[in-house]
């Protein structure tokens, strides 16, 4: 009886996903339908769904899961008008999380290094929800980069806007910032993956 009651309480505690989540999946897929992951033919939606899965697997609620699906929408799919549309469709909380994960809503984007430095500064005071989505985003990206490096060697760095050392600086700086205040499990895994990336030899990979 105790075991059954525990299962019932666990089931009740799980986040319920409503039609809003289904709408977000469809809209995010449509927004990014022409985009592919850097250096591959993989639809960009694969990244969005992976980040969303990490958020849900680490205790995220529906608003955080929706924000995970839309975390790149403002940067890559229309800037401020898209941010306004997110607020209208999914509410202020989702819009605020997406805003916290967005390093620029301008087109063209500002210079890479100052833009990333400002994002890292903002992350210091970000909400737990923003930090959760950000950690999931960076973890999936870092895992993908490491897997691609193992297949392609140093060619993987050619697809980024910044060179290898700058890209690794950014991953480490975000990781260090997130380590100041969780989410613990995701950030520990992010730290492990970024450390592996930092240990890859520079100039010694396949070309």
């Amino acid at each position: 009886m105790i075991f059954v009651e525990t299962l019932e309480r666990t089931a009740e505690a799980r986040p319920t996903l409503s039609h809003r989540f289904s709408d977000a999946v469809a809209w995010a897929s449509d927004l990014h339908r022409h985009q592919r992951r850097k250096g591959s033919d993989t639809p960009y939606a694969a990244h969005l769904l992976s980040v969303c899965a990490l958020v849900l697997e680490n205790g995220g609620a529906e608003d955080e899961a929706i924000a995970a699906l839309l975390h790149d929408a403002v940067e890559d799919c229309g800037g401020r008008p898209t941010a306004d549309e997110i607020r209208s469709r999914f509410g202020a909380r989702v819009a605020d999380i997406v805003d916290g994960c967005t390093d620029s809503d301008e087109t063209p984007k500002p210079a890479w290094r100052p833009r990333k430095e400002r994002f890292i500064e903002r992350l210091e005071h970000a909400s737990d929800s923003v930090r959760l989505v950000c950690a999931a985003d960076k973890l999936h990206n870092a895992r993908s980069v490491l897997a691609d490096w193992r297949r392609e060697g140093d060619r993987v760095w050619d697809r980024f806007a910044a060179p290898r050392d700058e890209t690794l600086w950014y991953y480490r700086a975000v990781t260090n910032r997130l380590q100041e205040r969780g989410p613990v499990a995701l950030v520990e895994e992010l730290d492990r993956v970024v450390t592996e990336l930092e240990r890859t030899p520079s100039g010694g990979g396949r070309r």
Side-chain angles (χ1 to χ4, degrees), residues 93-184:
R93 184 159 185 260
V94 170
D96 288 344
I97 298 170
V98 173
D99 182 65
C101 295
T102 301
D103 67 21
S104 175
D105 61 6
E106 301 175 42
T107 304
K109 293 179 181 179
W112 186 88
R113 179 76 184 221
R115 173 162 46 96
K116 298 304 183 184
E117 288 174 345
R118 286 194 296 271
F119 177 77
I120 293 163
E121 289 175 4
R122 287 169 45 214
L123 194 56
E124 180 179 6
H125 304 291
S127 69
D128 290 344
S129 295
V130 168
R131 297 169 79 89
L132 173 61
V133 175
C134 179
D137 173 36
K138 296 303 182 283
L139 175 56
H140 184 254
N141 278 335
R143 283 174 171 172
S144 298
V145 174
L146 183 60
D148 289 346
W149 184 88
R150 287 168 174 161
R151 286 192 299 267
E152 305 172 25
D154 280 352
R155 285 180 299 180
V156 72
W157 305 113
D158 296 340
R159 66 186 64 164
F160 292 97
R164 174 187 183 276
D165 289 349
E166 288 284 282
T167 301
L168 290 177
W169 160 82
Y170 177 59
Y171 275 108
R172 175 51 62 194
V174 171
T175 301
N176 290 347
R177 182 66 81 199
L178 290 170
Q179 284 177 319
E180 297 169 358
R181 184 166 49 88
V184 176

Side-chain angles (χ1 to χ4, degrees), residues 13 20 27 33-34 72 79-80 85 94 101 124 132 135 184 188 193 200:
R20 294 173 65 245
W27 194 53
R33 66 186 180 280
H34 298 304
D72 279 331
R80 183 47 49 187
E85 182 72 9
V94 170
C101 295
E124 180 179 6
L132 173 61
V184 176
E188 286 178 349
V193 177
T200 58

Side-chain angles (χ1 to χ4, degrees), residues 30-43:
D30 187 56
L31 282 174
H32 294 271
R33 66 186 180 280
H34 298 304
Q35 297 172 4
R36 297 289 183 268
R37 291 286 278 162
K38 288 187 175 98
S40 78
D41 291 327
T42 303

